Amino acid sequence: YVVNATFPYLIVRFEDLQFYAPNVTTQICECAGGVMRTDRPFQYILDSAKTGPGHGKKSERTGMIDAWIKYGKPMPPQNEFNTVDYNAAMEQ
């Protein structure tokens, strides 16, 4: 879908936002022609970004600290991808 896009697009890895949020957010803002606020420090959102009944129980949602724990450790190259999806990703 990205190859055929007729509009500008930006792809950002979740891990980059998770571990380098201020730097990545600043780069995205500048890329879009914006300017980061300087009147206060960068504000992290610790709770899950997902809200409402369609996203399961609040106690089971992943917030920032849980995501650090989940994504902050080494994973095998195939991780949780099945063989078909892994091979498709490797072709890109």
Side-chain angles (χ1 to χ4, degrees):
Y1 64 95
V2 173
V3 176
N4 299 321
T6 59
F7 50 85
Y9 59 90
L10 176 68
I11 298 173
V12 180
R13 292 183 331 149
F14 175 75
E15 293 84 352
D16 290 334
L17 277 174
Q18 187 66 34
F19 297 113
Y20 309 105
N23 188 23
V24 172
T25 304
T26 299
Q27 290 180 34
I28 293 169
C29 182
E30 291 172 356
C31 177
V35 178
M36 288 292 289
R37 294 180 66 160
T38 58
D39 61 328
R40 63 180 186 190
F42 185 85
Q43 185 175 355
Y44 289 91
I45 306 299
L46 299 179
D47 293 331
S48 174
K50 296 179 180 178
T51 60
H55 297 287
K57 297 177 184 176
K58 186 173 183 177
S59 62
E60 296 175 358
R61 297 178 192 157
T62 304
M64 185 171 150
I65 304 302
D66 293 327
W68 278 350
I69 293 167
K70 182 176 181 179
Y71 295 104
K73 52 189 166 194
M75 296 181 192
Q78 190 165 334
N79 194 19
E80 296 176 11
F81 289 107
N82 64 41
T83 302
V84 173
D85 289 343
Y86 179 77
N87 290 338
M90 294 306 293
E91 291 175 10
Q92 299 295 322

